[in-house]
Amino acid sequence: MSSLPASISSPQSTPLDVLGQVFGYQQFRGPQEAIVDHVVHGGDALVLMPTGGGKSLCYQIPAIVRQNAGHGVTIVISPLIALMHDQVGALTEAGVSAAFLNSTQTFEESSALEKQLLRNELTLLYAAPERINTPRMKGLLASLHERGLLSLFAIDEAHCVSQWGHDFRPEYRSLSLLHETFPDVPRMALTATADHLTRQDMIERLKLEEAREFVSSFDRPNIRYTIVEKTDPTRQLLRFIQTEHDAEAGIVYCQSRKRVEEIAGMLEAAGIKAMAYHAGLDAKLRQQRQDRFLREDGMVMVATIAFGMGIDKPDVRFVAHLDMPKNIEGYYQETGRAGRDGQSADAWMVYGLQDVVNQRRMIDTSEAASEEFKQVMRGKLDALLSLAEDTRCRRVSLLGYFGEASQPCGNCDNCLNPPAVWDATEAARKMLSCIYRVQQASGISFGAGHLMDILRGKTTEKITQYGHESLSTFGIGADLAEAQWRSVLRQLIAKNMVRVNAEAFNTLQLLPDARQVLKGEASVLLRQQALAAKADKPKRGSKTSVKGLVEATLNAGALERLARLKAWRGEVAREHNLPAFVIFHDATLRAIAEQAPQRLQDLEGISGMGTKKLQAYGAEVLRVLGA
Ligand code: ADP
Ligand code: ZN
C-alpha cells in the first residue's frame, strides 16, 4: 500500500493509458470507455452491467485519473467486508494505492489510515455501508471534503438499497447521507440488477435522477443456460459435474442449510472437492471456506444464496441450481457468477413442482411483508416459472425480461435440443375441471397429489374417504403418466390458471385465467417432458471441458511452461495471501506459455501484464521459463 499511483501513471495519463499501464488491458470493453469518460469529468452515473461485464474498472480508472489530477480519494461502498482484503490486494498488486476501513481493524490501524487519507496518499478507500454513518467516518469525510480531497463516491451493488431487489440491505439506506451532506461530490452507482422496479427505487433512494444512465447489454454469450426437470436431483447433479465439469470450479445453490450440507457431503463422498456454505456456519468458518474456494483450483461450493455476492473469481465454470430461486433477477445474478473470464461456462438448473409450491408458500406465509409486496413477489415468481417452462430460446426469454430484444442464441438447451411441444389443451381442461369438481363436491380444496390420483383413477384411502371415485373426473386422465400430469400442473401454475394456496395446506385453486381454457377459447401448448430423459443423458459427448479444449491447443512445450507458471503463481499467491487470479489470470499465463518470451520487452503487451506487474514479476517469470 506504499507505492503511489504517480509511479506508474502520470498526471497526464488518459484513461486509456491507465487501462494499459495499470491493468495491462489494451481496449475498453463495451460501454466502459463512455462511463469512465463521463465520471472522470465529474458526472454522476448509474451503471447497469451484467456480472462479469467489468464494472470495477468503471470506478477504478476514474479514481486513478482524478487522483492524479488532484481531486483526492474515491470512496467505494461495498457490502462485503470479507472480500475487501482481496479487492485491495488486487489493486495493490497493480500498483494502485488502496485500502479498506472496516470493523476488523484496530483503532491504531484506522487512525494510521485516516492520517494517510488526510495526507492525500490514497487513491481508493473501500468501506462498508454501515461504516458511513458512524460519527468517526462522517467526521473523516467532512475533513476530506474541506480539503478538497473527496473525489468520488462509487456505490457498488447499489440494488441493495431497494427492497424490490433480491439482496435488500437496510444499511444501504443510510447512504442518502452522501448526497445530502456532500451534494457536490460526484456519485456513481453500479449494479448487475436491471429490473425496472428496482432501478426506479435505486434512483430515488440514491438521488440519481440527474445521473446519466449507462445500460449495457445483459447478454452473457459464453454462458449456456439449461433447465431440466427435476427427477433425481442428487444423481442428476453428480452426472452433470462428472460428465461436464470434472475437476472444475463451480457453485451449487440449494435452498436450505440442511440440503446444502447433504449435497456437499454427497459430492465429497463421490470424490469431488466440495464444501458447504450457509449463514448457519460461524463467520470464521465461512471466511475460511470462501478463501479456499477463491484460492484452490477445482473447488465446488455448495451454498445457499448467502454465498456469492462480490465473488470475483473469474474461472467459475458452472453454476448449478438444485432448487429454484425466487425470481429471474436472483437467477440471473447467481448464474452470472459463472464464466466471468469470458470462456464458456454452464448455468444449469433442475426444477419441479415442489419448487413452485415451496416458493409460493414462502411468499404467501411471509409475515413481515405487505400484501402489495407479496403481489410483486408472486408476479416475479410467475415470470421465472414461465422461463422454466418456455420452449423458446432461454436467452431470448431472459433478456426479454430485462427489456432487451435478441435472436435465438444457439447456446442454450432449447436452441441446442428444441423441446417437442404437445397440445395439452385437453389434458389442461381435464385437470382444471377436476379441480373445480372436487371443490364443488367436497366444499374444500385438495393438493396436487390427491388431484392426480383422482385423474389417474387410483383408489387410495383418501379417495374412498371422500367418495371421490364417484366424481365424473375420476380416471379420465389414466392415459397420462404422473410425471406428465405434474408437468401439466406446473405449467398451469406458470400460466396463472391455478394457484397453490399456501395458507390452506398447499391446496389448488382455480384462477380467473382458467376460464378461457375451460370454455375452449384458448389452447395450451406444453413442453414434451418425455424428452427430458433424453436430454439428461450425457450430452455433447464430444465436448471436452473448456480447460481441456484450451489446453489442447497448446503444444507440449507450452503446456509444460504453463504448468511451471501455475506452480510459481501458486507460491506467490500463498506468500501474498491472495487468490492466484489476483496475481495473474489463467489467460495471461496461457499467453505467456504460448509466446515463450525471452526478454522483458516480450512480456509487454500481454493482456493482464501492467507496468507494476512487469516490474514486480517480469524477471521471475523469465526465470521460471528458463529464458
Ligand atoms: P463485474 O464487477 O462487472 O462483475 P469485474 O469488474 O470483476 O466485473 O470484471 C470481470 C473480469 O473482466 C475481470 O477479471 C476483469 O479483470 C476483466 N476485465 C474488465 N474490463 C476489461 C477489459 N477492458 N479488458 C480485459 N479484461 C477486462
Ligand atoms: Zn438459445
Side-chain angles (χ1 to χ4, degrees), residues 341-609:
D341 53 9
Q343 312 273 350
S344 38
D346 270 302
W348 180 89
M349 173 161 84
V350 289
Y351 104 115
L353 185 58
Q354 200 54 43
D355 289 300
V356 181
V357 172
N358 287 345
Q359 289 291 3
R360 272 285 173 162
R361 188 182 49 226
M362 285 194 333
I363 296 171
D364 293 345
T365 57
S366 110
E367 277 166 15
S370 66
E371 193 44 43
E372 182 204 7
F373 183 84
K374 289 182 183 178
Q375 212 43 51
V376 173
M377 293 300 129
R378 283 187 201 111
K380 290 189 172 206
L381 175 59
D382 289 346
L384 179 59
L385 289 180
S386 312
L387 167 75
E389 297 293 347
D390 212 326
T391 50
R392 297 173 306 158
C393 169
R394 305 281 188 197
R395 200 176 310 270
V396 168
S397 322
L398 277 168
L399 294 176
Y401 180 80
F402 295 115
E404 201 178 321
S406 63
Q407 294 300 312
C409 71
N411 190 28
C412 72
D413 55 350
N414 286 350
C415 282
L416 291 164
N417 202 352
V421 176
W422 62 293
D423 184 344
T425 312
E426 198 48 45
R429 210 183 287 158
K430 285 178 183 170
M431 173 137 256
L432 295 172
S433 54
C434 188
I435 297 174
Y436 178 75
R437 293 259 172 270
V438 173
Q439 153 85 35
Q440 206 186 30
S442 316
I444 52 169
S445 310
F446 289 83
H450 186 65
L451 280 156
M452 286 185 291
D453 287 345
I454 299 176
L455 282 167
R456 304 193 56 229
K458 262 166 89 178
T459 336
T460 65
E461 216 172 289
K462 199 166 174 182
I463 299 254
T464 325
Q465 184 192 343
Y466 287 96
H468 284 164
E469 69 273 24
S470 61
L471 287 174
S472 60
T473 50
F474 185 78
I476 57 169
D479 52 328
L480 296 185
E482 181 171 330
Q484 282 170 300
W485 280 117
R486 282 188 182 276
S487 153
V488 172
L489 181 53
R490 266 199 326 263
Q491 305 191 48
L492 291 176
I493 295 171
K495 290 183 190 308
N496 243 337
M497 297 187 197
V498 173
R499 114 180 169 102
V500 181
N501 187 352
E503 274 142 19
F505 310 106
N506 294 332
T507 50
L508 302 179
Q509 290 165 359
L510 293 191
L511 291 174
D513 283 359
R515 219 170 295 143
Q516 294 170 319
V517 172
L518 280 170
K519 289 206 292 207
E521 286 167 6
S523 56
V524 182
L525 292 180
L526 297 185
R527 282 177 83 85
Q528 180 68 270
Q529 289 299 345
L531 278 189
K534 204 173 108 199
D536 228 25
K537 76 169 187 252
K539 48 188 165 172
R540 4 192 234 282
S542 57
K543 183 201 168 224
T544 345
S545 68
V546 176
K547 199 172 65 187
L549 262 182
V550 172
E551 291 180 2
T553 62
L554 295 180
N555 63 32
L559 270 180
E560 190 267 334
R561 286 190 288 278
L562 180 60
R564 270 189 280 152
L565 287 167
K566 281 192 173 174
W568 165 81
R569 178 182 66 175
E571 280 167 36
V572 178
R574 261 189 302 280
E575 251 169 55
H576 295 207
N577 185 24
L578 286 171
F581 62 80
V582 165
I583 309 298
F584 285 119
H585 280 187
D586 283 0
T588 306
L589 292 192
R590 234 181 280 127
I592 298 173
E594 212 168 7
Q595 294 178 23
Q598 296 294 315
R599 300 158 306 166
L600 276 181
Q601 318 63 308
D602 301 338
L603 287 167
E604 279 170 27
I606 286 184
S607 180
M609 184 66 81

Side-chain angles (χ1 to χ4, degrees), residues 26-189:
Q26 273 64 53
Q27 282 162 332
F28 280 110
R29 242 192 222 163
Q32 277 177 334
E33 185 164 21
I35 297 166
V36 167
D37 194 57
H38 180 72
V39 176
V40 160
H41 291 101
D44 291 344
L46 175 60
V47 175
L48 304 163
M49 206 185 255
T51 312
K55 282 185 286 299
S56 321
L57 293 188
C58 295
Y59 58 82
Q60 289 169 349
I61 292 181
I64 296 167
V65 174
R66 286 177 63 81
Q67 166 63 275
N68 286 344
H71 291 290
V73 69
T74 289
I75 311 285
V76 184
I77 315 294
S78 161
L80 297 147
I81 293 177
L83 291 167
M84 286 182 189
H85 169 266
D86 289 355
Q87 284 164 345
V88 166
L91 285 164
T92 309
E93 286 291 325
V96 181
S97 117
F100 57 82
L101 257 183
N102 72 31
S103 49
T104 65
Q105 286 156 322
T106 63
F107 184 84
E108 285 72 29
E109 283 172 317
S110 309
S111 301
L113 261 176
E114 286 164 12
K115 292 206 183 91
Q116 253 190 304
L117 280 163
L118 293 168
R119 288 196 304 264
N120 194 20
E121 290 174 2
L122 283 181
T123 301
L124 289 120
L125 178 75
Y126 285 74
E130 55 272 26
R131 188 90 192 177
I132 297 295
N133 229 347
T134 60
R136 188 164 169 186
M137 186 69 177
K138 282 200 259 190
L140 176 64
L141 291 177
S143 307
L144 288 168
H145 187 241
E146 244 167 56
R147 292 168 167 75
L149 294 179
L150 213 42
S151 168
L152 168 70
F153 292 118
I155 304 167
D156 204 5
E157 312 282 3
H159 63 280
C160 292
V161 77
S162 168
Q163 63 161 331
W164 306 121
H166 44 92
D167 303 306
F168 175 47
R169 297 196 166 212
E171 58 279 15
Y172 261 69
R173 290 284 163 90
S174 63
L175 296 180
S176 55
L177 181 117
L178 301 181
H179 59 256
E180 283 158 8
T181 319
F182 309 106
D184 57 326
V185 176
R187 283 192 318 283
M188 67 190 301

Side-chain angles (χ1 to χ4, degrees), residues 110-274:
S110 309
S111 301
L113 261 176
E114 286 164 12
K115 292 206 183 91
Q116 253 190 304
L117 280 163
L118 293 168
R119 288 196 304 264
N120 194 20
E121 290 174 2
L122 283 181
T123 301
L124 289 120
L125 178 75
Y126 285 74
E130 55 272 26
R131 188 90 192 177
I132 297 295
N133 229 347
T134 60
R136 188 164 169 186
M137 186 69 177
K138 282 200 259 190
L140 176 64
L141 291 177
S143 307
L144 288 168
H145 187 241
E146 244 167 56
R147 292 168 167 75
L149 294 179
L150 213 42
S151 168
L152 168 70
F153 292 118
I155 304 167
D156 204 5
E157 312 282 3
H159 63 280
C160 292
V161 77
S162 168
Q163 63 161 331
W164 306 121
H166 44 92
D167 303 306
F168 175 47
R169 297 196 166 212
E171 58 279 15
Y172 261 69
R173 290 284 163 90
S174 63
L175 296 180
S176 55
L177 181 117
L178 301 181
H179 59 256
E180 283 158 8
T181 319
F182 309 106
D184 57 326
V185 176
R187 283 192 318 283
M188 67 190 301
L190 306 101
T191 177
T193 298
D195 86 292
H196 187 71
L197 208 53
T198 312
R199 192 191 304 184
Q200 282 323 108
D201 203 22
M202 213 162 59
I203 291 173
E204 261 169 55
R205 305 240 173 226
L206 299 174
K207 207 155 176 28
L208 290 165
E209 289 89 351
E210 307 291 313
R212 196 161 141 200
E213 270 186 44
F214 294 89
V215 185
S216 314
S217 163
F218 266 67
D219 191 15
R220 299 286 308 281
N222 60 314
I223 299 183
R224 173 174 298 177
Y225 298 95
T226 303
I227 304 179
V228 298
E229 194 181 10
K230 196 187 275 191
T231 49
D232 181 351
T234 326
R235 260 196 35 229
Q236 286 172 293
L237 176 69
L238 196 56
R239 196 165 355 146
F240 166 69
I241 295 180
Q242 285 172 337
T243 57
E244 313 260 335
H245 294 286
D246 184 32
E248 292 181 331
I251 306 174
V252 178
Y253 283 110
C254 306
Q255 188 138 58
S256 70
R257 297 172 185 185
K258 184 166 157 267
R259 190 89 177 119
V260 163
E261 296 282 355
E262 280 168 14
I263 297 291
M266 181 280 291
L267 291 179
E268 272 200 305
I272 292 167
K273 279 209 301 190

